[in-house]
Amino acid sequence: MPHRKLPPPGLAAARDACAPLWLLPFLFWLGCSGSSSLPGSTPNGEDAGCVEPPPGDGSDAGVPADVLIPSRLLRRSALALRGEPPTDAEYAALEAAGDEAAQRAYVSAFVDRTLQEPTFYRTLFETARDWFNIPPVGPSADPPEYGLQQQRSIVRCPDGTPKAGAWKYFRDDKDACQGLKPDGTPAEERSLEAWWAPGATTVLVGFAASVSPTGQTYDASGFPVTVTCATVGPIANCGCGPAAVRCHADTGSYPGWEDYGLHNPQGQRRLVAEEPARLFAHLGWHDRPMTDLILGNYSVGPTRLQAAYVMQGLAGELTYLLEDDSWWRPSRFASAPVDPDHRQGDPTAWREFSVAARSPFFLEERDYRYDPRTQSTAMKGIPAAGMLTSLGFLGAYPRERVRGARALEMLACEELSPPQGQEFNEYKRDPGTEGTCQHCHRRVDPAAIHFKRFAKMGHGFEGHGATYPMPGVGKVWHWPARWRTGEYPYHSDPFSHWNRWYMPDTLLTPVTQAQAEANPEAVFIDFLPAEQNLLGQVSDGTVGPLGFAKLIVASGSFDRCVVRHLHAQVMGRDIDPAKEAGYLEDQVARFISGGRKARPYIKALTQSDLFQRGR
């Protein structure tokens, strides 16, 4: 770093003689950070932040203080955009560029070039992954019991068996590799094009190969029950279905670990946890508005991740999805936008897809309204809302209040801190209006109300077994009114949670007791009534997470939050919304004027006066 020149002797003497006057520029600099107008800017108008007035006299007159030399500016740009310092070759090219003006032009070109390189995508992904900090979906029972998969594990028959290389159910079909049923008769065998191996022939054997429309299982009392295979899935002796969609091939040392272990970059449990951050990076890379992160009806994911959405649709008995090959046949998604590290048509690429096409219970509609207080027909679903309806986000946080709180913290930069030294009314039944907890619940519950219609039931067993009901949606996820009694078989989760916390006449459940008695599903109300507001905004009635997303965008909180995180990535520090309110609003205005896109905003930050000065 070059040494700063000492002030002229006369100026130093004046400072010593009149210290209060010497402090004025410093106080002015502190004060401007909270002002909505900037005291100065670069000639091209791309300055970000308060600009320290240049010296008015002496040898430094007219020269901004602390301007980084080109080599340091190159280093700062490289660290901000790709997390790595410049290479020796890049430093050499900078030196060879010529005089200082040419070197600064080289740095500007370096920024433009880096913003178009795959490393920029990876920086966005890593920024979002740290920012969102979404945990992997927890195990259903003991590892590797990962329930979100909702597909039955199949394994290859070992060498030396009559059906070596064929795929069979891991459990409950021990004689299949010998080509036999349990009763000694020949086992079924079927060759097909499986969803996980497009273009190849896969052989199924035993119950996995069954094409029977019905199967047999047993109820809780041990009595045999005949089931329809197309709706219940591969339980008992039902088969894997067309293209083996109901099953997943497991090549690991023990079924389940391949998709459960986070060390596997293509393991589904890791994929669903990464989906929100990948969507953020996808939006930045393809110059989409960042509001699509929570308002969009699309997401990104490889074939293995999209399988989880398809299984959720099948769990709701949308059996036509069994014949849909658009999510696994490469020719059907050859033109879908992908991440820069993969080619289009690659099943492992993070490619764009319509959420409603994979699981139609996540609706394309942007203004779907449903009021269970007055409507008794089944709800069609909840509108897709980017990362807020991603299975990784919904599955990682099993309760609506946790989802609401984390969404406020992540996407509106809200800080939910406990009160200090305050007195509250007595808590009786509603944490949103009673007791000490209301300090946070008054803010959390109006957000949490939007996240009610996704829960977990049962335990996974090698990927299959656990289900994820969307209460009140479609034709499957309804129960007799006695579910509100909490008696068997409605004594455990999710019913126990619903019965305890979805109480009428509370902030989370704004329905009357009479409405809840007339229609028990009224307690699943998932939009904000007109008498409530979130961040000062009144809902338009849109249900589900999309209703929440609209509110935080309308309040401006989402834009401010995105700007703060992008600013921290590039500038190395957050913006204090209290002390730098004016600066923050200026940055938000710049972000919005650029279409809420990451790349042009980041480019503007690198050209700012503060960035050039290392501030």
Side-chain angles (χ1 to χ4, degrees):
M1 176 178 178
H3 294 290
R4 184 185 297 180
K5 294 183 179 180
L6 294 175
L11 179 59
R15 285 176 176 171
D16 291 338
C18 193
L21 293 178
W22 174 72
L23 288 173
L24 285 177
F26 178 70
L27 294 175
F28 173 80
W29 183 82
L30 286 177
C32 77
S33 64
S35 171
S36 61
S37 60
L38 299 180
S41 62
T42 55
N44 59 11
E46 294 175 330
D47 171 59
C50 299
V51 181
E52 183 176 333
D57 54 7
S59 59
D60 288 336
V63 179
D66 299 334
V67 175
L68 298 179
I69 61 174
S71 62
R72 290 194 63 203
L73 186 59
L74 176 65
R75 176 180 174 82
R76 188 176 197 198
S77 300
L79 291 173
L81 300 183
R82 67 188 188 194
E84 297 176 350
T87 63
D88 290 343
E90 289 167 337
Y91 276 127
L94 177 70
E95 290 295 324
D99 59 14
E100 181 174 347
Q103 290 184 0
R104 293 191 180 279
Y106 173 87
V107 175
S108 181
F110 169 83
V111 170
D112 290 335
R113 184 172 63 253
T114 304
L115 287 173
Q116 301 297 328
E117 293 176 346
T119 186
F120 175 63
Y121 169 91
R122 290 190 287 272
T123 298
L124 290 176
F125 165 63
E126 290 167 1
T127 297
R129 183 174 54 183
D130 294 341
W131 167 12
F132 301 153
N133 194 27
I134 295 175
V137 177
S140 289
D142 299 322
E145 310 305 351
Y146 167 64
L148 192 58
Q149 198 164 42
Q150 300 189 78
Q151 292 174 305
R152 191 166 175 178
S153 296
I154 56 176
V155 295
R156 284 187 184 274
C157 290
D159 294 339
T161 61
K163 300 298 180 181
W167 296 87
K168 64 173 285 287
Y169 287 149
F170 175 62
R171 292 185 187 274
D172 304 325
D173 202 5
K174 64 180 180 178
D175 298 320
C177 291
Q178 302 300 322
L180 301 173
K181 291 182 178 180
D183 62 5
T185 59
E188 294 181 77
E189 186 173 327
R190 185 160 61 109
S191 298
L192 47 74
E193 184 183 14
W195 69 269
W196 65 84
T201 298
T202 298
V203 179
L204 304 180
V205 66
F207 293 148
S210 175
V211 294
S212 174
T214 61
Q216 190 175 74
T217 184
Y218 298 90
D219 62 17
S221 301
F223 292 102
V225 177
T226 299
V227 295
T228 301
C229 292
T231 57
V232 301
I235 68 171
N237 54 350
C238 288
C240 289
V245 167
R246 293 282 199 175
C247 299
H248 69 95
D250 207 311
T251 59
S253 58
Y254 181 85
W257 280 111
E258 184 176 29
D259 276 294
Y260 179 87
L262 299 179
H263 59 275
N264 180 8
Q266 287 299 317
Q268 196 195 73
R269 185 165 176 254
R270 174 169 167 177
L271 296 177
V272 297
E274 288 186 356
E275 180 183 354
R278 291 285 183 178
L279 177 58
F280 181 88
H282 181 85
L283 298 176
W285 179 252
H286 290 283
D287 287 327
R288 308 286 180 81
M290 279 299 165
T291 46
D292 281 4
L293 182 69
I294 57 175
L295 295 179
N297 57 11
Y298 61 93
S299 189
V300 294
T303 296
R304 272 199 181 186
L305 183 147
Q306 295 186 37
Y309 285 90
V310 176
M311 293 308 108
Q312 182 64 16
L314 289 173
E317 297 190 1
L318 299 179
T319 55
Y320 67 85
L321 293 173
L322 289 168
E323 305 295 338
D324 178 24
D325 65 355
S326 63
W327 59 279
W328 61 266
R329 191 180 296 281
S331 61
R332 298 291 304 277
F333 53 78
S335 61
V338 300
D339 67 283
D341 295 322
H342 295 86
R343 295 180 178 179
Q344 289 180 309
D346 185 343
T348 65
W350 286 90
R351 65 180 185 270
E352 189 174 311
F353 67 92
S354 165
V355 176
R358 300 293 168 261
S359 185
F361 296 117
F362 296 107
L363 308 176
E364 287 274 6
E365 297 179 48
R366 302 292 83 195
D367 300 295
Y368 181 61
R369 296 173 176 83
Y370 179 88
D371 190 341
R373 299 172 298 183
T374 58
Q375 295 175 252
S376 58
T377 56
M379 192 177 185
K380 291 195 301 183
I382 56 176
M387 66 167 282
L388 293 175
T389 49
S390 67
L391 297 183
F393 176 79
L394 295 173
Y397 303 113
R399 299 285 186 261
E400 68 290 322
R401 280 183 168 121
V402 180
R403 292 171 189 152
R406 289 294 291 119
L408 283 173
E409 291 171 336
M410 283 189 292
L411 302 169
C413 287
E414 286 287 287
E415 295 184 8
L416 303 173
S417 302
Q420 297 291 329
Q422 298 184 39
E423 294 185 3
F424 296 93
N425 58 337
E426 181 183 359
Y427 173 75
K428 295 180 179 179
R429 62 191 296 273
D430 182 12
T433 59
E434 301 163 348
T436 58
C437 294
Q438 67 181 285
H439 178 81
C440 289
H441 279 272
R442 282 187 178 276
R443 300 158 66 195
V444 170
D445 286 10
I449 194 174
H450 299 89
F451 294 95
K452 287 182 173 180
R453 295 191 188 266
F454 192 87
K456 181 186 173 188
M457 184 184 299
H459 301 286
F461 191 65
E462 285 143 12
H464 186 65
T467 59
Y468 293 83
M470 302 175 70
V473 171
K475 65 179 182 179
V476 175
W477 296 306
H478 307 272
W479 303 272
R482 62 190 181 90
W483 71 266
R484 287 295 280 177
T485 66
E487 298 177 359
Y488 179 85
Y490 307 110
H491 60 293
S492 58
D493 271 351
F495 304 104
S496 59
H497 173 74
W498 296 339
N499 286 326
R500 182 180 182 187
W501 292 113
Y502 293 5
M503 301 297 293
D505 297 310
T506 59
L507 202 62
L508 182 64
T509 309
V511 301
T512 65
Q513 185 66 41
Q515 289 168 334
E517 290 175 356
N519 176 19
E521 290 184 359
V523 300
F524 296 121
I525 183 172
D526 61 339
F527 68 94
L528 204 59
E531 61 271 17
Q532 295 187 34
N533 72 81
L534 178 65
L535 300 176
Q537 302 300 308
V538 178
S539 173
D540 68 353
T542 302
V543 300
L546 182 61
F548 167 83
K550 288 182 175 182
L551 292 171
I552 66 171
V553 170
S555 72
S557 298
F558 176 75
D559 290 324
R560 288 191 291 271
C561 196
V562 174
V563 163
R564 287 175 61 183
H565 282 277
L566 291 178
H567 186 278
Q569 169 62 35
V570 177
M571 305 294 286
R573 71 171 185 89
D574 192 5
I575 303 174
D576 189 321
K579 297 180 179 179
E580 300 177 287
Y583 177 45
L584 177 57
E585 293 308 314
D586 288 337
Q587 293 305 307
V588 170
R590 179 174 286 114
F591 176 64
I592 294 175
S593 67
R596 291 186 167 100
K597 299 174 183 178
R599 188 179 274 121
Y601 177 64
I602 290 175
K603 169 66 175 178
L605 284 177
T606 63
Q607 294 179 319
S608 69
D609 181 80
L610 290 181
F611 188 87
Q612 303 278 331
R613 291 161 54 208
R615 294 291 179 87

